[in-house]
């Protein structure tokens, strides 16, 4: 019998911990700033704190919320397994646990997907309420910017709405041809199926059922495989069944896209294909993603949202409405780049008493290129005569043709179209217009006035300071989140889950910013 050596299980290291863990944590540690905010928030109003009547007792939800938010404050983003690891190895998480055992990764995940998913809005608002009051954050100056985040979806799993619509129209033509063949066979029975331009799925299913009854076909006796000859009736029935299934597939895909999108991903139905700054193929291809928008005040994220629109113009109004729902007011100075300046957004600012500090598309040329700004051949620079009609450099009048509603406008605004009375033999023809007939121009006097107001606002001293602050604060916020904290791709699938994910990131960002300002103030003192 081999003798056991007790030295094999011996170690010279022994665990030694003080009675009070707080003595190890430095006084300037972020956990104290975090605890200050959490202690001033009533967590009971949106957490389920009552015990279960049966089964295992529920893990303390206040503790779960604290360790999750602190993990996002420290790391920018933290997976559930990383949070579990921190609870076992980091002395600060042990202090937050307050003698509770470390939770499992499934406990953390279930809490995120159930409780936090429903209440992330309120948690974000409560965290901001204390921080903004403490830091005296100015909510009148809001700096807006957005970024496109790659979705957690297959890069080549696209579904195009227009492709589905075109293929469905082609399929309608094939169904018409098929019904004509079926009518040729049922003519002797005195039955004829209606031929239409478009076919509803229910109508075709009724035709299929009726045709099977008329020809007396038994689906149980259908033949398949090599060496078996199918009857003409079986071929027509199988073909119509195939077309019905294809129509269902197209209808489902068009429904998933909805009215506002033209594509989606098969592996994440909420993701839309859009152009990204980071293209792994380097050929400017479309990738599945989301448009994340942030409204920043004094360096803190005041409001955020996740959208499926590729254009920033469509995100401005819902983001401001979200800001208003959180703080009960509209910002006086919403500052944004040229991606947000549109006729609809200027009208929206006019309606809600907000100043117009959003650049428009040609802002750089308008403000810096004097030749472009004073170009006499631009329609907006045409003088207006006594009759109220534009006059070209050759002295010809432009007469009103028609007016048309502005595309996507919800305010009933229109734009007017004018045509020159005679462009033949004009010495300015090459510089003014390359069209064959008389030149047609589109004028919108209200939009022209908005552009002049925006130029005046942005080129003032106040406007220059706001433009400088926007590049520092809003773009700096996304720079910190994406590059300093390595969040460049969505981890969760679905727009609701991504809203939760970025909500936790925003809470962590504001908490971290609050701590840094406290440290800076302490150092200055």
């Amino acid at each position: 019998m081999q003798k056991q050596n007790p030295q094999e299980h011996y170690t010279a290291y022994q665990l030694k911990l003080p009675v009070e863990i707080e003595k190890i944590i430095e006084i300037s540690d972020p956990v104290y700033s975090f605890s200050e905010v959490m202690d001033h928030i009533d967590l009971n109003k949106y957490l389920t704190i009552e015990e279960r009547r049966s089964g295992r007792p529920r893990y303390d939800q206040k503790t779960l919320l604290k360790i999750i938010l602190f993990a996002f404050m420290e790391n920018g983003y933290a997976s559930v397994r990383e949070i579990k690891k921190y609870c076992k190895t980091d002395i600060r998480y042990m202090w937050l646990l307050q003698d509770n055992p470390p939770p499992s990764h499934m406990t953390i995940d279930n809490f995120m997907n159930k409780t936090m998913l429903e209440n992330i809005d309120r948690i974000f608002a409560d965290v901001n309420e204390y921080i903004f009051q403490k830091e005296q954050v100015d909510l009148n100056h809001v700096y807006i910017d957005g970024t496109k985040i790659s979705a957690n979806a297959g890069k080549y799993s696209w579904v195009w709405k227009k492709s589905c619509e075109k293929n469905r129209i082609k399929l309608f033509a094939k169904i018409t041809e098929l019904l004509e063949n079926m009518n040729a066979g049922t003519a002797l029975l005195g039955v004829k199926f209606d031929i239409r331009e478009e076919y509803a799925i229910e109508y075709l299913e009724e035709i299929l059922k009726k045709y099977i009854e008329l020809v007396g076909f038994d689906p149980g006796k259908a033949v398949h495989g090599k060496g078996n000859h199918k009857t003409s009736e079986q071929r027509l029935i199988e073909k119509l069944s195939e077309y019905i299934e294809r129509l269902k597939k197209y209808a489902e895909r068009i429904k998933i896209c909805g009215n506002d999108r033209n594509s989606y991903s098969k592996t994440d139905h909420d993701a839309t294909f859009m152009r990204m700054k980071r293209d792994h193929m380097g050929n400017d291809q479309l990738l599945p993603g989301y448009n994340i928008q942030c409204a920043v005040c004094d360096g803190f994220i005041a409001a955020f949202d996740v959208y499926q629109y590729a254009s920033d113009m469509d995100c401005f109004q819902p983001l401001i409405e979200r800001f208003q729902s959180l703080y009960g007011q509209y910002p006086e100075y919403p500052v944004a780049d040229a991606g947000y300046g549109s006729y609809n957004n200027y009208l929206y600012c006019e309606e809600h008493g907000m100043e117009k500090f959003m650049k428009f598309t040609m802002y750089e040329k308008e403000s810096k290129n004097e030749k472009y700004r004073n170009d006499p051949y631009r329609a907006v620079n045409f003088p207006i005569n006594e009759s109220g009609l534009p006059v070209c450099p050759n002295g010809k009048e432009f007469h009103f043709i028609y007016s048309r509603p502005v595309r996507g406008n919800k305010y009933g605004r229109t734009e007017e179209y004018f045509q020159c009375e005679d462009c033949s033999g004009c010495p300015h023809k090459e510089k003014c217009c390359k069209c064959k007939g008389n030149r047609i121009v589109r004028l919108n006097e209200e939009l022209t006035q908005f552009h002049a107001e925006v130029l005046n606002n942005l080129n003032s001293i106040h406007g220059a300071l706001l433009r400088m602050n926007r590049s520092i604060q809003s773009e700096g916020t996304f720079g910190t989140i994406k590059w300093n904290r390595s969040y460049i791709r969505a981890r969760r699938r679905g727009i609701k889950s991504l809203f939760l994910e970025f909500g936790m990131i925003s809470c962590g960002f504001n908490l971290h910013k609050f701590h840094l300002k406290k440290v800076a103030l302490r150092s200055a003192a």
Side-chain angles (χ1 to χ4, degrees):
M1 182 176 179
Q2 188 177 2
K3 185 177 179 182
Q4 293 184 355
N5 186 4
Q7 297 296 326
E8 294 179 1
H9 308 286
Y10 171 77
T11 175
Y13 300 100
Q14 294 186 18
L15 180 63
K16 293 181 180 181
L17 287 175
V19 178
E20 297 181 9
I21 297 179
E22 293 184 22
K23 290 183 178 180
I24 302 179
I25 306 174
E26 294 183 2
I27 192 64
S28 60
D29 196 273
V31 73
Y32 292 119
S33 300
F34 173 80
S35 297
E36 177 190 341
V37 178
M38 290 293 109
D39 291 343
H40 287 84
I41 297 176
D42 181 16
L43 304 179
N44 295 328
K45 59 185 178 182
Y46 43 75
L47 299 180
T48 307
I49 58 175
E50 65 271 9
E51 293 295 331
R52 294 171 177 168
R53 294 184 179 180
S54 60
R56 297 178 63 186
R58 179 183 282 110
Y59 198 94
D60 184 50
Q61 296 195 344
K62 289 183 182 180
T63 304
L64 281 175
L65 178 61
K66 288 180 180 180
I67 61 173
I68 290 171
L69 291 183
F70 184 65
F72 276 82
M73 174 186 175
E74 276 283 276
N75 304 283
Y77 179 86
S79 67
V80 293
R81 293 186 183 273
E82 286 174 341
I83 297 173
K84 172 190 171 184
K85 177 184 175 183
Y86 297 146
C87 290
K88 292 183 176 180
T89 59
D90 196 315
I91 197 73
R92 298 170 301 172
Y93 288 84
M94 297 179 188
W95 180 65
L96 289 174
L97 287 174
Q98 293 293 317
D99 297 329
N100 288 312
S104 67
H105 69 278
M106 284 306 301
T107 301
I108 300 171
D109 188 60
N110 289 334
F111 177 74
M112 284 183 177
N113 295 331
K114 294 177 182 178
T115 304
M116 291 194 70
L117 183 64
E118 298 172 357
N119 297 285
I120 187 62
D121 249 349
R122 301 167 67 185
I123 296 170
F124 176 73
D126 287 345
V127 169
N128 281 2
E129 183 180 1
Y130 177 78
I131 294 176
F132 286 11
Q133 184 179 3
K134 198 78 174 175
E135 295 294 325
Q136 296 295 309
V137 173
D138 178 18
L139 295 176
N140 285 323
H141 293 81
V142 175
Y143 306 99
I144 298 170
D145 199 10
T147 187
K148 295 181 177 67
I149 292 288
S150 297
N152 184 6
K155 296 181 180 65
Y156 307 107
S157 58
W158 51 68
V159 174
W160 304 107
K161 182 180 177 181
K162 288 185 179 179
S163 177
C164 293
E165 292 173 342
K166 289 179 181 178
N167 289 334
R168 188 170 64 168
I169 293 172
K170 293 178 182 178
L171 187 58
F172 287 151
K174 292 182 180 180
I175 292 172
T176 298
E177 183 181 353
L178 181 65
L179 291 182
E180 289 175 351
N181 293 334
M182 295 172 70
N183 286 335
T186 58
L188 299 176
L189 301 175
V191 177
K192 184 178 180 181
F193 301 114
D194 290 339
I195 304 298
R196 303 177 180 178
E197 291 184 0
E198 296 184 357
Y199 298 95
I201 296 173
E202 296 78 9
Y203 174 68
L204 294 178
E205 288 177 340
E206 193 65 31
I207 288 178
L208 179 62
K209 182 180 177 181
K210 186 70 175 176
Y211 185 76
I212 291 175
E213 293 178 358
L214 288 172
V215 300
F217 179 75
D218 184 6
K221 296 182 180 180
V223 295
H224 300 281
K226 188 176 180 180
N228 295 317
H229 180 70
K230 295 181 181 179
T231 63
S232 58
E233 290 81 7
Q234 181 180 343
R235 293 179 185 276
L236 292 174
I237 290 170
E238 289 181 354
K239 206 67 176 175
L240 184 56
S241 300
E242 178 192 343
Y243 290 163
I244 290 173
E245 292 302 316
R246 286 174 61 183
L247 276 180
K248 288 181 178 179
K249 181 182 70 174
Y250 293 145
E252 181 185 4
R253 290 182 172 182
I254 293 172
K255 181 180 178 182
I256 291 173
C257 279
N259 298 324
D260 301 326
R261 290 198 297 164
N262 58 3
S263 64
Y264 74 91
S265 170
K266 293 178 183 177
T267 48
D268 183 358
H269 290 178
D270 291 337
T272 306
F273 277 81
M274 53 186 74
R275 283 183 173 83
M276 305 284 179
K277 289 183 180 178
R278 288 172 57 86
D279 181 9
H280 69 287
M281 291 291 288
N283 57 2
D284 198 30
Q285 69 174 359
L286 301 178
L287 296 172
Y290 294 92
N291 194 345
I292 297 179
Q293 297 286 321
C294 281
V296 181
C297 298
D298 289 348
F300 295 97
I301 299 176
F304 72 93
D305 210 346
V306 181
Y307 299 102
Q308 298 168 311
Y309 314 121
S311 172
D312 289 337
M313 288 184 184
D314 300 325
C315 304
F316 177 78
Q317 295 184 29
L319 182 65
I320 295 296
E321 287 297 326
R322 180 166 178 75
F323 181 92
Q324 195 276 337
S325 66
L326 286 171
Y327 305 104
Q329 68 177 71
Y330 290 98
E332 187 176 355
Y333 301 99
V335 187
D337 60 13
Y340 299 85
S342 69
Y343 185 40
N344 288 338
N345 290 342
Y346 292 143
L347 287 171
Y348 177 79
C349 290
E350 188 83 9
E351 180 186 9
H352 295 93
M354 295 182 286
E355 298 291 335
K356 304 169 192 68
F357 281 85
M358 302 96 68
K359 295 179 182 178
F360 48 89
T361 307
M362 302 300 291
Y363 168 77
E364 292 296 329
K365 268 197 168 184
E366 284 275 8
S367 58
K368 297 180 180 179
N369 192 331
E370 187 176 352
K371 182 179 179 181
Y372 173 81
R373 183 172 62 250
N374 299 325
D375 186 2
Y377 302 108
R378 289 179 62 203
V380 294
N381 291 332
F382 286 174
I384 306 297
N385 63 11
E386 297 176 354
S387 303
L389 298 175
V391 179
C392 73
N394 195 34
K396 300 292 183 180
E397 289 184 347
F398 277 73
H399 296 285
F400 174 77
I401 310 175
Y402 60 88
S403 62
R404 191 174 67 179
V406 177
R407 184 171 63 91
N409 185 262
K410 302 176 182 178
Y411 299 89
R413 298 306 205 275
T414 60
E415 52 191 4
E416 288 71 37
Y417 287 76
F418 296 83
Q419 187 174 31
C420 183
E421 57 183 352
D422 185 18
C423 286
S424 58
C426 178
H428 305 278
K429 181 74 172 178
E430 292 184 1
K431 295 181 179 179
C432 183
C433 176
K434 296 182 180 180
C435 57
K436 294 182 179 180
N438 296 332
R439 182 181 177 183
I440 297 175
V441 297
R442 180 182 61 186
L443 293 176
N444 188 329
E445 185 177 351
E446 194 174 17
L447 179 59
T448 304
Q449 292 175 356
F450 284 154
H451 284 179
E453 183 181 353
V454 171
L455 281 169
N456 184 53
N457 289 341
L458 291 175
N459 291 331
S460 64
I461 297 176
H462 185 208
L465 290 173
L466 291 182
R467 282 187 285 127
M468 179 184 67
N469 271 324
R470 190 205 68 84
S471 62
I472 294 171
Q473 294 195 29
S474 60
E475 294 183 10
T477 297
F478 280 117
T480 300
I481 291 174
K482 295 176 72 173
W483 303 111
N484 295 359
R485 302 193 143 202
S486 303
Y487 182 75
I488 57 175
R489 190 168 189 260
R491 269 68 164 189
R492 286 171 170 77
R493 292 185 175 179
I495 191 167
K496 290 184 178 179
S497 297
L498 185 58
F499 183 84
L500 165 66
E501 183 171 287
F502 199 79
M504 294 187 291
I505 291 171
S506 300
C507 288
F509 178 87
N510 286 350
L511 289 165
H512 185 66
K513 191 81 173 181
F514 175 67
H515 169 69
L516 293 180
K517 288 203 172 188
K518 286 184 63 178
V519 172
L521 187 63
R522 192 182 300 119
S523 300

